[in-house]
Amino acid sequence: MALGTARPALPALLALIGALLPASEAQVRLELSGRNLHPTVTHENDSLLATAHDKANMEEEGTHQLSCVVTLGHQSRSWRENVTIYSFPAPNLTLSEPEVSEQTVVTVECEAQAGALVMLSGGVPARLPGPRAQLQLNASAEDNGRIFFCSALLEVAGQVLRKNQTRELRVLYGPRLDKRDCLGNWTWQEGSQQTLTCQAWGNPVPELKCHRKGDNALLPIGDLRPVTREVAGTYLCQARSPRGEVTREVVVNVIYHRNYILTTILVTVAFTIGAAGLAAYFYNRQRKIQKYKLQKAQEAAAMKLNTPATPP
Ligand SMILES: *[C@@H]1O[C@H](CO)[C@@H](O)[C@H](O)[C@H]1NC(C)=O
Ligand SMILES: *[C@@H]1O[C@H](CO)[C@@H](O)[C@H](O)[C@H]1NC(C)=O
Ligand SMILES: *[C@@H]1O[C@H](CO)[C@@H](O)[C@H](O)[C@H]1NC(C)=O
Ligand SMILES: *[C@@H]1O[C@H](CO)[C@@H](O)[C@H](O)[C@H]1NC(C)=O
Ligand SMILES: *[C@@H]1O[C@H](CO)[C@@H](O)[C@H](O)[C@H]1NC(C)=O
Ligand SMILES: *[C@@H]1O[C@H](CO)[C@@H](O)[C@H](O)[C@H]1NC(C)=O
């Protein structure tokens, strides 16, 4: 149990300035309710400082009179001061279990010595002030790492002293792999800059592995700069911890344009070929018609020449 003193502090601090000269020859005696203390005396300029580090006993708890007597030659001066010896250990803060599974009821208790007041914090309103405080909670994943804090107050010789204590609760949960932290469907433009996030939660921290169905390729978690069509696929993510395992499907879709371009080129080529063919056909046909017309004209001319003139 720790022992301490209220003002003036023990080790006592006494400085007598001036009056007695030379200070280095002075004798100093420190007494606590008649018990001789063993001070260390230091001198500087015309003053001296006596410091005692004597241990206080538990039986000495309460108010005492400290006296300091300085003697120089035949002269002596004395000074008295009230000193309070107290004991004030930090409160005991206990958790029924420091590590629990989810949905386990945990009791948090804080206890200080009689006469002190405790305040237990941790999200719940403090109960009636007294030397004990208690609260219960149904542990959830969100309570993992929660710190409980208990502060004890004790009034000693008109001063309020404070001691505190903290405890951390650990909640075992998971593994968890939900939509919020691991989206199941990503659709991206090829060449864009994206970030793929997939995080599993739990205590202990689960191990996460994502493999593509078919070729077992790893899911590229993190920055994708730029997105390539090779990452597209359906992945199976598995989070595993000593508490179990969960799986989740993650689909990555990559939109790209080359197929459209190819189609456009093919259509254009087909159209051009078609148009050229048609043009050639019409040209040929026109030529044939012209040739035919010429032939007919020549025949007609020949016939005119061969026909003998009708005699008048
Ligand atoms: C002692 O005297 C020196 C010089 O006069 C001064 O700097 C120093 O602060 C004094 N020490 C104390 C404890 O008064
Ligand atoms: C010390 O305490 C006593 C009573 O406990 C009181 O009468 C006295 O005045 C106090 N002395 C000083 C120096 O405060
Ligand atoms: C703890 O909370 C969960 C869900 O909130 C509930 O299902 C369970 O019954 C609670 N356990 C106790 C002991 O109250
Ligand atoms: C705190 O716990 C210790 C050890 O269990 C015990 O000795 C001490 O009395 C307790 N203190 C209080 C204020 O209950
Ligand atoms: C709790 O106690 C420690 C040392 O005992 C101290 O350093 C800290 O400031 C205290 N915290 C509060 C919030 O009082
Ligand atoms: C994924 O998203 C795309 C586009 O947003 C949608 O067409 C598709 O149906 C979604 N697939 C699933 C499994 O949700």
Side-chain angles (χ1 to χ4, degrees):
M1 195 178 267
L3 287 169
T5 54
R7 213 178 103 89
L10 190 76
L13 193 88
L14 295 173
L16 302 177
I17 303 165
L20 301 158
L21 288 170
S24 59
E25 282 165 32
Q27 301 288 309
V28 183
R29 207 170 78 238
L30 272 183
E31 267 180 25
L32 186 71
S33 294
R35 172 157 83 96
N36 260 326
L37 303 180
H38 304 87
T40 311
V41 182
T42 56
H43 306 270
E44 193 173 348
N45 302 347
D46 296 333
S47 67
L48 61 82
L49 177 72
T51 314
H53 288 279
D54 292 60
K55 226 174 171 172
N57 299 316
M58 259 166 66
E59 300 76 49
E60 289 178 311
E61 251 186 86
T63 302
H64 295 263
Q65 197 173 63
L66 178 74
S67 69
C68 177
V69 182
V70 181
T71 312
L72 185 61
H74 301 294
Q75 298 250 28
S76 79
R77 296 282 187 281
S78 68
W79 184 256
R80 283 176 221 290
E81 196 74 70
N82 284 346
V83 168
T84 306
I85 296 179
Y86 67 88
S87 146
F88 184 32
N92 284 343
L93 179 58
T94 52
L95 300 175
S96 51
E97 278 174 275
E99 189 170 85
V100 296
S101 290
E102 266 181 301
Q103 297 178 18
T104 305
V105 175
V106 180
T107 305
V108 185
E109 200 171 85
C110 183
E111 189 174 9
Q113 70 189 47
L117 294 181
V118 294
M119 285 182 298
L120 183 56
S121 70
V124 281
R127 302 283 170 89
L128 287 175
R132 270 172 70 109
Q134 197 192 63
L135 67 88
Q136 282 192 328
L137 77 150
N138 182 353
S140 68
E142 287 68 38
D143 293 317
N144 184 38
R146 185 165 159 185
I147 308 271
F148 292 94
F149 180 85
C150 181
S151 172
L153 302 175
L154 183 70
E155 198 183 314
V156 177
Q159 287 185 75
V160 176
L161 306 170
R162 183 189 289 267
K163 285 278 176 80
N164 64 58
Q165 191 73 261
T166 57
R167 288 280 178 271
E168 187 183 339
L169 176 67
R170 289 184 305 280
V171 180
L172 299 170
Y173 72 96
R176 282 188 185 174
L177 192 57
D178 40 34
K179 194 179 171 189
R180 203 180 43 180
D181 302 299
C182 188
L183 205 62
N185 188 9
W186 302 89
T187 302
W188 289 323
Q189 199 81 40
E190 183 180 40
S192 61
Q193 317 258 312
Q194 305 287 353
T195 305
L196 195 155
T197 53
C198 184
Q199 165 105 52
W201 296 99
N203 179 27
V205 176
E207 191 191 2
L208 178 68
K209 275 184 186 161
C210 300
H211 289 287
R212 185 155 56 192
K213 282 183 181 170
D215 65 356
N216 248 17
L218 283 175
L219 180 67
I221 294 172
D223 283 348
L224 297 177
R225 293 163 196 268
V227 171
T228 59
R229 74 184 63 175
E230 285 75 34
V231 303
T234 300
Y235 297 81
L236 218 53
C237 289
Q238 185 180 62
R240 186 192 295 223
S241 84
R243 297 181 57 84
E245 64 176 69
V246 287
T247 53
R248 187 171 164 75
E249 207 174 80
V250 173
V251 180
V252 178
N253 304 297
V254 178
I255 304 169
Y256 51 92
H257 289 302
R258 213 161 97 196
N259 266 2
Y260 301 145
I261 293 169
L262 199 66
T263 310
T264 310
I265 290 169
L266 285 178
V267 166
T268 310
V269 167
F271 183 79
T272 313
I273 291 171
L278 222 58
Y281 167 75
F282 278 116
Y283 175 76
N284 265 346
R285 192 169 156 225
Q286 198 65 31
R287 241 181 42 171
K288 273 181 188 157
I289 290 170
Q290 275 173 355
K291 215 170 149 188
Y292 175 76
K293 277 184 179 165
L294 195 68
Q295 214 173 8
K296 280 276 170 206
Q298 280 170 349
E299 276 172 20
M303 243 158 72
K304 252 188 193 162
L305 285 176
N306 294 343
T307 312
T310 31

PDB file of all heavy atoms in Angstrom, residues 185 187 251 253, ligand 6:
ATOM      1  N   ASN A 185     -19.288  -6.649 -56.628  1.00  0.00           N
ATOM      2  CA  ASN A 185     -19.435  -6.430 -58.069  1.00  0.00           C
ATOM      3  C   ASN A 185     -18.784  -5.106 -58.468  1.00  0.00           C
ATOM      4  O   ASN A 185     -19.228  -4.051 -58.065  1.00  0.00           O
ATOM      5  CB  ASN A 185     -20.946  -6.431 -58.373  1.00  0.00           C
ATOM      6  CG  ASN A 185     -21.249  -6.403 -59.855  1.00  0.00           C
ATOM      7  OD1 ASN A 185     -20.362  -6.543 -60.696  1.00  0.00           O
ATOM      8  ND2 ASN A 185     -22.520  -6.202 -60.180  1.00  0.00           N
ATOM      9  N   THR A 187     -17.507  -2.770 -61.727  1.00  0.00           N
ATOM     10  CA  THR A 187     -17.569  -2.609 -63.181  1.00  0.00           C
ATOM     11  C   THR A 187     -16.755  -1.385 -63.547  1.00  0.00           C
ATOM     12  O   THR A 187     -17.038  -0.290 -63.077  1.00  0.00           O
ATOM     13  CB  THR A 187     -19.038  -2.451 -63.646  1.00  0.00           C
ATOM     14  OG1 THR A 187     -19.757  -3.610 -63.218  1.00  0.00           O
ATOM     15  CG2 THR A 187     -19.125  -2.338 -65.147  1.00  0.00           C
ATOM     16  N   VAL A 251     -17.078 -10.146 -58.283  1.00  0.00           N
ATOM     17  CA  VAL A 251     -17.080 -10.147 -59.748  1.00  0.00           C
ATOM     18  C   VAL A 251     -16.433  -8.855 -60.238  1.00  0.00           C
ATOM     19  O   VAL A 251     -16.792  -7.776 -59.787  1.00  0.00           O
ATOM     20  CB  VAL A 251     -18.524 -10.261 -60.297  1.00  0.00           C
ATOM     21  CG1 VAL A 251     -18.522 -10.254 -61.817  1.00  0.00           C
ATOM     22  CG2 VAL A 251     -19.198 -11.516 -59.768  1.00  0.00           C
ATOM     23  N   ASN A 253     -15.868  -6.723 -63.609  1.00  0.00           N
ATOM     24  CA  ASN A 253     -16.221  -6.553 -65.026  1.00  0.00           C
ATOM     25  C   ASN A 253     -15.356  -5.432 -65.592  1.00  0.00           C
ATOM     26  O   ASN A 253     -15.199  -4.400 -64.947  1.00  0.00           O
ATOM     27  CB  ASN A 253     -17.681  -6.125 -65.168  1.00  0.00           C
ATOM     28  CG  ASN A 253     -18.628  -7.095 -64.492  1.00  0.00           C
ATOM     29  OD1 ASN A 253     -18.716  -8.245 -64.880  1.00  0.00           O
ATOM     30  ND2 ASN A 253     -19.318  -6.626 -63.461  1.00  0.00           N
TER      31      ASN A 253
HETATM   32  C1  LIG B   6     -22.844  -6.118 -61.597  1.00  0.00           C
HETATM   33  O1  LIG B   6     -22.955  -4.788 -62.115  1.00  0.00           O
HETATM   34  C2  LIG B   6     -23.336  -4.743 -63.483  1.00  0.00           C
HETATM   35  C3  LIG B   6     -23.293  -3.296 -63.935  1.00  0.00           C
HETATM   36  O2  LIG B   6     -23.463  -2.409 -62.897  1.00  0.00           O
HETATM   37  C4  LIG B   6     -24.709  -5.353 -63.623  1.00  0.00           C
HETATM   38  O3  LIG B   6     -25.069  -5.356 -65.007  1.00  0.00           O
HETATM   39  C5  LIG B   6     -24.678  -6.790 -63.113  1.00  0.00           C
HETATM   40  O4  LIG B   6     -25.982  -7.337 -63.159  1.00  0.00           O
HETATM   41  C6  LIG B   6     -24.179  -6.832 -61.700  1.00  0.00           C
HETATM   42  N1  LIG B   6     -24.016  -8.218 -61.293  1.00  0.00           N
HETATM   43  C7  LIG B   6     -24.345  -8.642 -60.088  1.00  0.00           C
HETATM   44  C8  LIG B   6     -24.101 -10.091 -59.827  1.00  0.00           C
HETATM   45  O5  LIG B   6     -24.825  -7.911 -59.247  1.00  0.00           O
END
